[in-house]
Amino acid sequence: MIVSPSIGVMGALGGLAIVVAMAGPSPSGTHPDAPPPAHTGGFGEPTCQVCHAEYGLDPEGMRVLLVGVPVRVEPESVHRIGVVVRAEGTVVAGFQLAARRPDGRQAGRLRAVDDRVRITIGDTPAGEVSFAHQTALGTEGESRVESRWTVEWTAPGTPTDVVWNVAGNSANGDNSPFGDLVGLASAGTQVR
């Protein structure tokens, strides 16, 4: 039996070659229902550009925005945070958002407010972190300029600074990693 990380596991059985694919991203590089956790570009993480790498980050004509991120809040207060991806001719779009303390640990709680958003827990060097992202339903639509999602955030119960990181993807809908745009945004909140 020969093991190759790029090909998978190959073996011979009665003269027939058997190939088993290693688990990983889909061959097209698309993740319509759940991007891999920890791809916000914050805290040394990669971005959606791991797959969608044809263009540079934050290309001309594309913007990723965080809307409603408060500058200062009370502990355990609840807020609606918007994510906006703007780019001409978007067919499908997605995002991944995290709210963390300066040391990378989770800051508060994220909650999906509709079926266009889901929260996934991912392992990071600082521990488990919640990542808000689009669902397949949240990617869809006709060709458009703007895509929006809303997430509810409950501030931590103790004073801290909060670092927001979001990566957004404007895709052309061909189910490949080519021709897609990736942008980033960040913000900060003080819990006092």
Side-chain angles (χ1 to χ4, degrees):
M1 183 178 288
I2 302 168
V3 178
S4 169
S6 62
I7 297 174
V9 177
M10 184 181 292
L13 183 61
L16 298 172
I18 299 171
V19 177
V20 179
M22 301 291 278
S26 63
S28 68
T30 63
H31 301 281
D33 203 41
H39 281 68
T40 66
F43 294 88
E45 295 172 353
T47 68
C48 310
Q49 262 199 321
V50 167
C51 294
H52 306 271
E54 187 172 351
Y55 300 102
L57 267 177
D58 298 315
E60 186 174 329
M62 185 208 188
R63 295 229 20 225
V64 177
L65 306 166
L66 284 166
V67 179
V69 174
V71 174
R72 177 174 257 159
V73 299
E74 296 290 322
E76 298 187 13
S77 56
V78 178
H79 307 271
R80 293 272 171 120
I81 309 299
V83 175
V84 178
V85 173
R86 286 188 184 146
E88 284 289 333
T90 298
V91 176
V92 293
F95 77 99
Q96 187 173 95
L97 169 75
R100 292 177 268 202
R101 296 170 187 267
D103 63 5
R105 293 180 300 129
Q106 180 67 40
R109 292 182 308 279
L110 296 173
R111 185 180 76 80
V113 297
D114 60 33
D115 56 1
R116 299 179 69 246
V117 173
R118 182 176 302 136
I119 309 301
T120 299
I121 306 298
D123 288 323
T124 73
E128 288 187 345
V129 170
S130 297
F131 295 93
H133 58 84
Q134 86 289 337
T135 62
L137 180 64
T139 68
E140 298 175 357
E142 297 178 19
S143 183
R144 60 194 182 274
V145 173
E146 188 171 279
S147 304
R148 291 179 165 265
W149 302 269
T150 302
V151 176
E152 186 178 273
W153 176 65
T154 302
T158 58
T160 188
D161 290 333
V162 177
V163 179
W164 296 87
N165 296 107
V166 63
N169 187 342
S170 167
N172 60 12
D174 70 356
N175 289 322
S176 83
F178 304 106
D180 303 336
L181 307 175
V182 176
L184 303 176
S186 61
T189 299
Q190 293 180 337
V191 179
R192 300 287 182 254

